[in-house]
Amino acid sequence: MAETKKSNLQLVAAKAGVSVSSVSRVLNGGSASEELARKVREAADELGYVPHASARTMRTGRTDQITLAVADVGNPVYVQMMRTVTGIVAKAGYRLVVSSTGADPQSQIDLVTSLNRGYADGLLMSPLRITEDLVEAMRSSRLPIVVIGTLPADVALDNVRADSATGIGLAVEHLVAQGRRRIALVNGPVDTVPGSARLAGYLSAIERFGLATSAELQVTASAFTYKAGRKATAALLGQASPDAIIGANDLLGVAALKELAAAGRRVPGDVAVVGMDDTDAAELATPSLTSVDLGSAKRAKAAAKLLIRRIADPGAPVSRIVIPPALSVRESTGGQA
Amino acid sequence: MAETKKSNLQLVAAKAGVSVSSVSRVLNGGSASEELARKVREAADELGYVPHASARTMRTGRTDQITLAVADVGNPVYVQMMRTVTGIVAKAGYRLVVSSTGADPQSQIDLVTSLNRGYADGLLMSPLRITEDLVEAMRSSRLPIVVIGTLPADVALDNVRADSATGIGLAVEHLVAQGRRRIALVNGPVDTVPGSARLAGYLSAIERFGLATSAELQVTASAFTYKAGRKATAALLGQASPDAIIGANDLLGVAALKELAAAGRRVPGDVAVVGMDDTDAAELATPSLTSVDLGSAKRAKAAAKLLIRRIADPGAPVSRIVIPPALSVRESTGGQA
DNA sequence: CTGTTAGCGCGTTCAA
DNA sequence: TTGAACGCGCTAACAG
């Protein structure tokens, strides 16, 4: 069996009685005679030779790695993205490494900086909060970056975004069709990209359908998490009597579901609930959660392809892709299981 | 603002009018005069200098990276581990990269091999299936590895394991105390590490408490996932009438919950349900899911510390740590919300 | 088809 | 305190 001791091209070359460049050629698919190739492979095998990634990177400038940066590995929407991206990048010959930055913009800036040290050939990132500094860091990065999520219009970076506004419109339309009038929003922090987009979408949809809203019908969770959602929904129920609740993501939607149950309200009888992202969490919830599919899998796929193209062709024109939303109706708004 | 163009020590040195070694020293905290340090920092800042990771790695042999390999990023137990580990390794000066291997042993072997190329200073892995080849690959790896999960007794690798058998014993004891007699098991694949451990634990606990079981009371899902769990539970309900179901993880437990609801059985009235791992999914389920806490956070923490120690001291004796289980009682077995 | 050699960027000797 | 020079392991010119 291979020993996997410290070994290098020189040792292999010595053992095989050939030159280092011949070893390199054989191992990288260059042309060589049968005889030489055999000797090289034999020696390499016997020594358990594994090439040194850093040395290769230093020479070639490539790492064959792509980094996916997400704010919270616990958010099922990122899980979907990871699953999708893994396949795409692997097919293109890259290994995917996942990096969990927090919600903090500074740690995201640190990540961009850090990747400029040459840890990866490209970065897929879905920033929760976009600050001037982060934009500046991404802009001045020498590493190709594709942003998943909305970006200021003047930033010339490839990006793939969802259409939250239309998505929330779908949810409101669906709720209105069922006679709901007092539609509440359990949002995440409004200083985040999705938080602000979803609030704007909600307000615009409410107006478009001629409904009324109020400060009491809008609550903001401290984070896009289940726990924060429970708290926010509890506050909501203490100050208003909605007949429908839209959670700004599935975790917040599930939290609303649970809080309503704890408060003895029936879903969808008394209150209908809609989540966003259409993740596994929506399917697992009881009652199952109607959710706005913001195309996270499609977004991830498109972003990965964009990044791969950008790495291959740094001069390509900047692409902006918008993925249209869809509604997955489930039990929490009267749909079938 | 820093330009983050391609730059290196030489360019910085030239700009500052000093030698490269002086720049290196200043930037790495060596001794230097105030004046020189100032000039160096200024030049570095102006050029947006970022050190080249591969070059540094090649010189020092360190990457300051630790890899966590998990089988399925969608499994909430791994999410818990990622969260825990991120903090620990960061505090020790390492960056964490997460790698999602599939359940396939070969891809895990590939990962070990690949990391021997020098992508990381250490590996935390939680193998789903352990084969001879994987053991051999880990054993002959020159990279420090800590295994989270049970390992054959003769493998001299640091490892931190749960005590599934005792854990299932806790669940069975709890169910028996509530008068349940026909306790079913919805297991994951038995050729996996947790699958076989949990089956053995189940059989031993059933016997210890003087209960009966049968082939009909034991079903095996094709994977530790929600979808597979639904299918397996449906099969179970078609062939037996359990008054309690133990899911081999929380996803399988939630699946049982949902399938029971679909079949019109009440939980815990007709059937009590217990999951394993005590993840967020147990809390989010309706009714909330009683779950055996196998100490995933503690295991991850212990493993990370072990790995960091091992990297610092490769000659340290091999450690084996067992984390004791606990039971989190929730609604699905009659506990409070 | 094969071997020799330069140099990627860095940290670290050793001298001055 | 500072600078010059070497070499980590590899790939890609270039030479033969």
Side-chain angles (χ1 to χ4, degrees):
Chain A
M1 177 62 195
E3 274 302 306
T4 317
K5 295 281 171 187
K6 190 161 51 180
S7 66
N8 57 31
L9 280 188
Q10 261 194 70
L11 290 175
V12 176
K15 180 145 202 140
V18 299
S19 75
V20 284
S21 54
S22 291
V23 179
S24 176
R25 249 183 255 116
V26 170
L27 268 31
N28 293 311
S31 56
S33 70
E34 273 308 311
E35 171 62 8
L36 189 140
R38 195 190 48 73
K39 282 195 298 189
V40 167
R41 283 186 221 289
E42 216 163 72
D45 222 53
E46 215 160 320
L47 270 69
Y49 170 74
V50 271
H52 193 297
S54 296
R56 173 176 285 170
T57 294
M58 184 145 56
R59 192 67 182 100
T60 64
R62 292 178 303 103
T63 64
D64 297 327
Q65 289 194 146
I66 283 178
T67 295
L68 171 65
V70 301
D72 174 19
V73 284
N75 189 327
V77 71
Y78 294 126
V79 172
Q80 273 188 1
M81 291 188 177
M82 287 185 229
R83 286 220 184 92
T84 311
V85 168
T86 305
I88 309 271
V89 303
K91 215 176 305 174
Y94 293 96
R95 302 173 344 108
L96 181 72
V97 310
V98 176
S99 184
S100 177
T101 73
D104 177 28
Q106 186 54 48
S107 65
Q108 305 192 32
I109 294 174
D110 290 347
L111 180 74
V112 173
T113 308
S114 146
L115 287 192
N116 269 301
R117 298 161 110 95
Y119 286 117
D121 295 340
L123 170 64
L124 286 170
M125 82 180 313
S126 188
L128 204 48
R129 289 171 223 269
I130 294 196
T131 60
E132 283 291 326
D133 287 350
L134 178 56
V135 166
E136 187 50 39
M138 294 193 296
R139 176 181 273 146
S140 66
S141 167
R142 82 178 117 96
L143 192 78
I145 298 179
V146 175
V147 174
I148 304 176
T150 303
L151 213 52
D154 60 330
V155 180
L157 285 172
D158 293 314
N159 98 80
V160 182
R161 63 184 69 185
D163 183 351
S164 293
T166 301
I168 293 201
L170 256 33
V172 172
E173 181 181 17
H174 172 64
L175 292 169
V176 167
Q178 313 213 333
R180 313 283 170 167
R181 307 286 302 169
R182 299 185 307 282
I183 303 177
L185 175 69
V186 176
N187 199 7
V190 290
D191 62 341
T192 63
V193 174
S196 67
R198 284 158 206 197
L199 176 57
Y202 165 80
L203 293 174
S204 129
I206 289 292
E207 189 183 351
R208 195 163 69 252
F209 288 94
L211 301 177
T213 183
S214 64
E216 285 73 29
L217 278 175
Q218 301 164 33
V219 291
T220 301
S222 62
F224 284 97
T225 60
Y226 173 76
K227 273 202 202 325
R230 284 294 295 260
K231 226 177 191 169
T233 306
L236 170 68
L237 296 181
Q239 69 193 24
S241 297
D243 57 13
I245 297 178
I246 297 177
N249 75 1
D250 282 343
L251 253 20
L252 297 178
V254 172
L257 240 34
K258 296 284 288 188
E259 195 62 35
L260 285 165
R265 316 281 180 93
R266 275 179 314 209
V267 176
D270 299 329
V271 183
V273 180
V274 179
M276 301 191 79
D277 287 338
D278 196 28
T279 62
D280 291 347
E283 187 72 36
L284 268 61
T286 302
S288 59
L289 182 67
T290 292
S291 188
V292 178
D293 180 1
L294 293 172
S296 52
K298 284 181 188 170
R299 273 184 288 156
K301 186 173 178 176
K305 290 189 166 180
L306 229 47
L307 181 57
I308 289 166
R309 200 195 54 172
R310 164 81 40 211
I311 292 171
D313 178 11
V318 171
S319 294
R320 284 182 223 277
I321 297 177
V322 179
I323 304 291
L327 191 68
S328 297
V329 178
R330 298 198 183 82
E331 295 168 338
S332 68
T333 59
Q336 290 302 308
Chain B
M1 176 64 197
E3 274 302 306
T4 317
K5 294 281 172 188
K6 191 162 50 181
S7 65
N8 57 31
L9 282 186
Q10 254 192 78
L11 291 175
V12 176
K15 180 144 200 139
V18 300
S19 74
V20 283
S21 50
S22 290
V23 178
S24 176
R25 244 181 262 116
V26 169
L27 266 33
N28 293 311
S31 58
S33 71
E34 271 309 311
E35 171 63 5
L36 188 140
R38 194 189 50 72
K39 280 195 298 187
V40 166
R41 283 187 220 289
E42 216 163 73
D45 221 55
E46 215 160 320
L47 270 73
Y49 170 73
V50 271
H52 192 297
S54 296
R56 172 177 284 171
T57 294
M58 184 143 59
R59 191 73 184 95
T60 63
R62 291 178 304 102
T63 64
D64 296 328
Q65 290 195 145
I66 283 178
T67 294
L68 171 66
V70 301
D72 174 19
V73 285
N75 188 329
V77 72
Y78 293 126
V79 171
Q80 272 187 1
M81 291 187 178
M82 288 185 230
R83 287 221 184 90
T84 312
V85 168
T86 305
I88 309 271
V89 303
K91 214 176 303 173
Y94 293 95
R95 302 172 343 108
L96 181 72
V97 310
V98 176
S99 185
S100 176
T101 73
D104 178 28
Q106 186 56 46
S107 64
Q108 304 191 33
I109 295 175
D110 290 347
L111 180 74
V112 174
T113 308
S114 145
L115 287 192
N116 269 300
R117 297 161 112 93
Y119 286 117
D121 295 341
L123 170 63
L124 286 170
M125 81 180 314
S126 187
L128 204 48
R129 292 171 222 269
I130 294 196
T131 61
E132 283 291 328
D133 287 351
L134 178 56
V135 167
E136 186 51 38
M138 293 192 298
R139 175 180 275 146
S140 65
S141 167
R142 81 178 117 98
L143 192 78
I145 298 180
V146 175
V147 174
I148 304 176
T150 303
L151 212 52
D154 61 329
V155 180
L157 285 172
D158 293 314
N159 97 79
V160 183
R161 65 185 68 185
D163 184 351
S164 292
T166 302
I168 293 201
L170 255 34
V172 172
E173 180 181 17
H174 172 64
L175 292 169
V176 167
Q178 313 212 334
R180 312 284 170 167
R181 306 288 300 170
R182 300 185 306 282
I183 303 178
L185 175 68
V186 176
N187 200 7
V190 290
D191 64 339
T192 62
V193 175
S196 67
R198 283 156 207 197
L199 176 58
Y202 166 80
L203 292 175
S204 128
I206 289 291
E207 188 183 351
R208 194 163 69 252
F209 287 94
L211 301 177
T213 183
S214 64
E216 285 72 31
L217 278 175
Q218 302 164 33
V219 291
T220 302
S222 62
F224 285 96
T225 60
Y226 174 74
K227 272 202 204 322
R230 285 294 295 261
K231 227 177 191 169
T233 306
L236 170 68
L237 297 181
Q239 69 193 28
S241 297
D243 57 11
I245 297 178
I246 298 178
N249 75 0
D250 282 343
L251 252 20
L252 296 178
V254 172
L257 241 33
K258 295 284 286 188
E259 195 62 35
L260 285 166
R265 316 280 180 94
R266 275 178 313 208
V267 176
D270 300 328
V271 183
V273 180
V274 179
M276 300 190 79
D277 287 338
D278 196 28
T279 61
D280 290 347
E283 187 73 35
L284 268 60
T286 302
S288 59
L289 181 68
T290 293
S291 188
V292 179
D293 180 0
L294 292 173
S296 51
K298 284 181 188 168
R299 273 184 289 155
K301 185 174 180 175
K305 290 189 167 178
L306 229 47
L307 181 58
I308 289 165
R309 200 196 54 172
R310 164 79 42 209
I311 293 172
D313 178 12
V318 170
S319 294
R320 284 181 221 277
I321 297 177
V322 179
I323 304 291
L327 191 67
S328 297
V329 178
R330 299 199 182 82
E331 295 167 337
S332 67
T333 60
Q336 290 302 308

